[in-house]
């Protein structure tokens, strides 16, 4: 998995690319911890180029959300591929994560 | 006629890449929808990751056999291993209604398996776990 970080105002945007699974989820977990240390409170994960996620990847998302909430932060997701949406639903994640169709909408969602 | 693919994997996580490739190839060969290919790959990934990560207490190499069979409109799987007895149907369901703060990390993999498959059947026979899965193609 590759990961590009950019800033849009005070929103830290993580553009993810590839697979989010047992081999790669640690990269994202470490990145989230970095962002928390830097004091960012608004994090957006862009799933546009994520073509696979398993329960290890999903677990990292929940961990990130819990850590951010503990620090009065927020985490939103965007651009999840259609074929992966049912798995997010079954996991109960559509209830706890704000999920947007586009990155722009997600950034606006923080306002 | 049925199309059958049998894979023999060793108990090393990198071997799961071979399984993923085989599922992709099988699905594409039969024109399965993207969602179906993804979900099947996910289910096998979850089950095999569990077996490889927690199933063996020795350092020996073990073989795990995975059979995929397309029979009419049904996709059938058999997973056979000599790991410690583990019936995924007996695992507790995670609580998916608690608040973010209280939500437990874990148990999600087996939950996904049960939700994404139409049928899951487990048996322990001759020192082996045998798991049968069924999903109707949609």
């Amino acid at each position: 998995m590759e990961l590009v970080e950019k800033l849009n105002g005070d929103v830290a945007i993580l553009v993810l690319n590839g697979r989010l699974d047992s081999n790669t989820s640690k990269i994202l977990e470490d990145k989230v911890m970095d962002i928390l240390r830097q004091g960012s409170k608004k994090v957006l994960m862009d799933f546009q180029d994520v073509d696979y996620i398993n329960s290890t990847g999903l677990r990292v998302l929940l961990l990130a959300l819990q850590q951010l909430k503990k620090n009065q932060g927020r985490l939103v997701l965007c651009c999840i591929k259609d074929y992966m949406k049912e798995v997010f639903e079954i996991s109960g994640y559509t209830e706890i994560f704000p999920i947007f169709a586009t990155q722009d909408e997600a950034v606006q969602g923080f306002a | 006629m049925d199309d059958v693919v049998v894979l023999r994997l060793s108990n090393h996580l990198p071997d799961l890449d071979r399984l993923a490739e085989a599922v992709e190839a099988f699905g594409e060969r039969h024109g399965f929808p993207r969602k179906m290919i993804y979900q099947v790959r996910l289910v096998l990934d979850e089950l095999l990751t569990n077996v490889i990560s927690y199933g063996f207490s020795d350092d020996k190499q073990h073989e795990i056999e995975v059979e995929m069979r397309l029979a009419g409109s049904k996709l059938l799987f058999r997973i056979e291993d000599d790991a410690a007895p583990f019936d995924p149907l007996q695992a507790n369901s995670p609580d998916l209604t608690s608040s973010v703060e209280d939500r437990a990390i874990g148990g999600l993999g087996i939950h996904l398996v049960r939700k994404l498959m139409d049928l899951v059947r487990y048996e322990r026979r001759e020192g082996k776990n045998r798991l049968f899965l069924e999903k109707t193609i949609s």
Side-chain angles (χ1 to χ4, degrees), chain A residues 32-33 36 61-73, chain B residues 100:
Chain A
V32 169
M33 292 306 151
L36 280 167
L61 299 188
L62 179 58
L63 271 172
L65 179 63
Q66 288 177 333
Q67 291 298 322
L68 275 158
K69 281 225 163 178
K70 227 183 263 175
N71 296 282
Q72 288 76 49
Chain B
V100 171

Coordinates of all heavy atoms in Angstrom, one line a residue, chain A residues 32-33 36 61-73, chain B residues 100:
Chain A
V32 N -1.2 7.4 11.2 CA -2.3 8.0 12.1 C -1.7 8.4 13.4 O -2.0 9.5 13.9 CB -3.4 7.0 12.3 CG1 -4.4 7.5 13.3 CG2 -4.2 6.8 11.0
M33 N -0.8 7.6 14.0 CA -0.2 8.0 15.2 C 0.7 9.2 15.0 O 0.7 10.1 15.9 CB 0.7 6.8 15.8 CG -0.2 5.6 16.2 SD -1.4 6.1 17.4 CE -2.7 4.9 17.1
L36 N -1.5 12.2 14.9 CA -2.0 12.6 16.2 C -0.9 13.3 17.0 O -1.2 14.3 17.7 CB -2.4 11.3 17.0 CG -3.8 10.7 16.6 CD1 -3.9 9.3 17.2 CD2 -4.9 11.6 17.2
L61 N -8.9 1.3 11.0 CA -9.8 2.4 10.9 C -10.5 2.7 12.2 O -10.6 3.9 12.7 CB -10.8 2.2 9.8 CG -10.3 2.0 8.4 CD1 -11.5 2.0 7.4 CD2 -9.3 3.1 8.0
L62 N -10.9 1.7 12.9 CA -11.6 1.9 14.2 C -10.7 2.4 15.2 O -11.0 3.3 16.0 CB -12.3 0.5 14.6 CG -13.0 0.5 16.0 CD1 -14.1 1.6 16.0 CD2 -13.6 -0.8 16.3
L63 N -9.5 1.8 15.3 CA -8.4 2.3 16.2 C -8.2 3.8 16.0 O -8.1 4.6 16.9 CB -7.1 1.5 16.0 CG -6.9 0.3 16.8 CD1 -5.7 -0.4 16.3 CD2 -6.8 0.6 18.3
A64 N -8.0 4.2 14.7 CA -7.7 5.6 14.4 C -8.9 6.5 14.9 O -8.7 7.5 15.5 CB -7.5 5.7 12.9
L65 N -10.1 6.0 14.6 CA -11.3 6.8 15.0 C -11.3 6.9 16.6 O -11.6 8.0 17.1 CB -12.6 6.1 14.5 CG -13.9 6.8 14.9 CD1 -14.0 8.1 14.3 CD2 -15.1 5.9 14.4
Q66 N -11.0 5.8 17.3 CA -11.0 5.9 18.7 C -10.0 6.8 19.3 O -10.2 7.6 20.2 CB -10.8 4.5 19.3 CG -12.1 3.6 19.1 CD -11.9 2.2 19.6 OE1 -10.8 1.7 19.6 NE2 -13.0 1.5 19.9
Q67 N -8.8 6.8 18.7 CA -7.7 7.6 19.1 C -8.0 9.1 18.9 O -7.8 10.0 19.7 CB -6.4 7.3 18.4 CG -5.8 5.9 18.8 CD -5.4 5.9 20.2 OE1 -4.9 6.8 20.8 NE2 -5.7 4.7 20.9
L68 N -8.6 9.4 17.7 CA -8.9 10.8 17.4 C -10.0 11.3 18.3 O -9.9 12.4 18.8 CB -9.4 10.9 15.9 CG -8.2 11.0 14.9 CD1 -8.6 10.6 13.5 CD2 -7.7 12.5 14.9
K69 N -11.0 10.5 18.5 CA -12.1 10.9 19.4 C -11.6 11.2 20.8 O -12.1 12.2 21.5 CB -13.2 9.8 19.5 CG -14.1 9.8 18.3 CD -15.5 9.6 18.6 CE -16.4 10.0 17.5 NZ -17.8 9.9 17.8
K70 N -10.7 10.4 21.3 CA -10.1 10.6 22.6 C -9.4 12.0 22.7 O -9.4 12.6 23.7 CB -9.0 9.5 22.8 CG -9.1 8.9 24.2 CD -8.0 7.9 24.4 CE -8.4 6.5 24.0 NZ -7.3 5.5 24.1
N71 N -9.0 12.5 21.5 CA -8.3 13.8 21.5 C -9.2 14.9 20.8 O -8.7 15.8 20.2 CB -7.0 13.7 20.7 CG -6.0 12.8 21.4 OD1 -5.4 13.2 22.3 ND2 -5.9 11.5 20.9
Q72 N -10.5 14.6 20.9 CA -11.5 15.6 20.4 C -11.3 15.8 18.9 O -11.6 16.8 18.3 CB -11.5 16.9 21.1 CG -12.0 17.0 22.5 CD -11.1 16.4 23.5 OE1 -9.9 16.7 23.5 NE2 -11.5 15.4 24.3
G73 N -10.8 14.8 18.2 CA -10.6 14.9 16.8 C -11.7 14.1 16.0 O -12.6 13.5 16.6
Chain B
V100 N -18.6 4.3 19.7 CA -17.2 4.2 19.1 C -16.2 3.9 20.2 O -15.3 3.0 20.1 CB -16.9 5.5 18.4 CG1 -15.4 5.5 18.0 CG2 -17.7 5.7 17.2

